[in-house]
Amino acid sequence: MTQKVLKFAERHLQKVEKRQVPCFTIKEDKGAGLLECAIEEEPKDLEKLLEIFEKHVLSSGTHDNHGGYLGFVVGGGLYPAALGDYLAAVTNRFAVKASFFSCSGAVRMENMLIDWVAGLFDFPSEAAGNLTSGGSTAIVLALMTARHSKQLRGRDFVRVVVYMTDLCHVCVSKALTTIGLTEAVIRKVPMDDNFRMDPKILRQMIKEDKKVQIALKLHGKN
């Protein structure tokens, strides 16, 4: 099984290198043929499964591991990294900081990686961090951290102001719902010519909103 999968992966990587930009393929059935391969109790031939996988999964959509694909930030699809994922999946060690005793070496490995990334951005030595499965989870943790740092309670949520642009990723809105800030005030900040949030306007908006909050408190309103 290992040899068959490895050969399939190597053929795939060779095809990726030859693929031209744009790195997007549209198939008429959009992978619907996969539905004909039902999940059953009896095993199927591995080579047949790999063939189905290539035809109905890999043949359509974005080819994220192509060097020319710059649509958004994803994993690089690097072969050494894939082997690392393979080892992590096979060994299935429980690497959680809260359970250091379960696999101390894996926790140390994660801490080393976080420290290395922090160093790339010149963060102070006492900086801390966490590895997440992706951007959506990272946004949830970031917003929760901000909420806890201000010691916000449910009664405060209607006064919370969230500043974003019209091009803000949908994961931010989902994260606000996840952490209970659905009632927060959403303020859209204008962007510059490069579609970046304008910091000068943002500062002015924050200044104005603070004046409103002070005025409400003076009048005894929450």
Side-chain angles (χ1 to χ4, degrees), residues 1-104:
M1 291 176 66
T2 303
Q3 293 303 317
K4 290 179 180 179
V5 172
L6 287 176
K7 288 181 180 179
F8 174 86
E10 290 173 5
R11 288 198 304 269
H12 170 71
L13 291 175
Q14 291 173 2
K15 291 180 181 178
V16 169
E17 292 179 354
K18 298 176 182 178
R19 190 178 296 277
Q20 299 296 316
V21 177
C23 310
F24 187 82
T25 304
I26 300 177
K27 293 291 185 179
E28 187 173 346
D29 71 340
K30 299 179 181 179
L34 183 67
L35 301 177
E36 298 177 6
C37 183
I39 299 175
E40 301 172 337
E41 291 293 334
E42 296 299 321
K44 293 181 174 62
D45 179 70
L46 179 56
E47 291 185 349
K48 180 63 177 179
L49 290 175
L50 292 173
E51 180 182 331
I52 293 172
F53 178 62
E54 182 174 31
K55 182 178 181 180
H56 300 296
V57 178
L58 298 182
S59 62
S60 62
T62 57
H63 305 287
D64 302 12
N65 61 343
H66 188 283
Y69 181 74
L70 303 174
F72 51 85
V73 180
V74 295
L78 298 176
Y79 199 72
L83 294 176
D85 284 340
Y86 171 74
L87 289 175
V90 170
T91 57
N92 198 32
R93 299 306 296 268
F94 190 59
V96 181
K97 293 181 181 180
S99 300
F100 182 79
F101 68 90
S102 64
C103 189
S104 56

